[in-house]
Amino acid sequence: PALVQVPDETSTTGAIIVESWACGIGQPQQGFDWFGQCTTPATNQTFSLYPESGGTTPLATETADEQGRVRFANLPPGTYQVRPEGTVWCYAESDRVDANGNVLVESQLESHVWSFVCGGGS
């Protein structure tokens, strides 16, 4: 499925798009084809957004839609942590991260996170 950019950001904000996929394996495996073998959206997966510094109180919490997508919109530029709630992800990738795995947000841009949850159907 393709991502669709929704132009609701102002000239000074950005967004983080999370796509969550269920994988039929119980734990991460070396050389596993995450994008090829995990094709079922992880619907109802909840993600929280935190400042880079962490903390216990999220800035926002959203639940994945029927396509496994979550959108954190109108974010000031900066560095954020995205965390799955109620599970740990087996594997994740992003197109904009720092050396610590925090997601970078820039004005008028979408940062994408692809999350893979082990133990789901594929």
Side-chain angles (χ1 to χ4, degrees), residues 50-54 79-83 89 92-94 96-104 113:
Y50 293 86
E52 175 186 16
S53 60
T79 308
Y80 298 87
Q81 293 180 9
V82 175
R83 299 182 200 162
W89 41 32
E93 278 190 31
S94 178
R96 289 187 179 87
V97 293
D98 66 11
N100 297 314
N102 297 308
V103 182
L104 304 172
V113 175

Side-chain angles (χ1 to χ4, degrees), residues 2-11 13-17 65 67 69-75 107-112:
L3 291 175
V4 177
Q5 185 170 356
V6 180
D8 65 346
E9 273 53 71
T10 68
S11 62
T13 64
I16 297 173
I17 308 297
D65 63 15
Q67 296 174 329
R69 293 185 183 135
V70 168
R71 180 180 179 86
F72 296 105
N74 296 312
L75 299 173
S107 295
Q108 298 182 331
L109 294 177
E110 291 180 341
S111 297
H112 299 97

